[in-house]
Amino acid sequence: MSDKARKLFEALDLDADGTLTREEVITALYTKGPTLAASGDLPSWALGDADASSALFDAADQNGDAVLSLEEFTAVVDRRFGWG
């Protein structure tokens, strides 16, 4: 798991409970995404609309429990963003 993926997870975890919900991912990428991209913590090409954020969530939710653990999230973003 890369440090970048862990940092991004923490930035998206709006309620700091150690998991991500679909709504958190969509809201956080919409509100924080441009700033994260500008600081190099998110590839600028990864910014998208709610549908793209929702698709990222679905790809990461490997066990189908509607929440993302750090491990689920980082496995997908490390691979998708080339951080692993």
Side-chain angles (χ1 to χ4, degrees), residues 31-66:
T31 60
K32 295 181 172 186
T35 302
L36 291 167
S39 65
D41 294 323
L42 178 70
S44 58
W45 57 263
L47 293 175
D49 59 13
D51 289 339
S53 298
S54 188
L56 174 66
F57 183 92
D58 288 338
D61 188 16
Q62 297 168 357
N63 64 4
D65 66 354

Side-chain angles (χ1 to χ4, degrees), residues 55-62 70-82:
L56 174 66
F57 183 92
D58 288 338
D61 188 16
Q62 297 168 357
L70 175 62
E71 292 77 17
E72 285 176 312
F73 180 79
T74 57
V76 168
V77 298
D78 275 345
R79 184 175 61 248
R80 186 170 286 186
F81 298 164

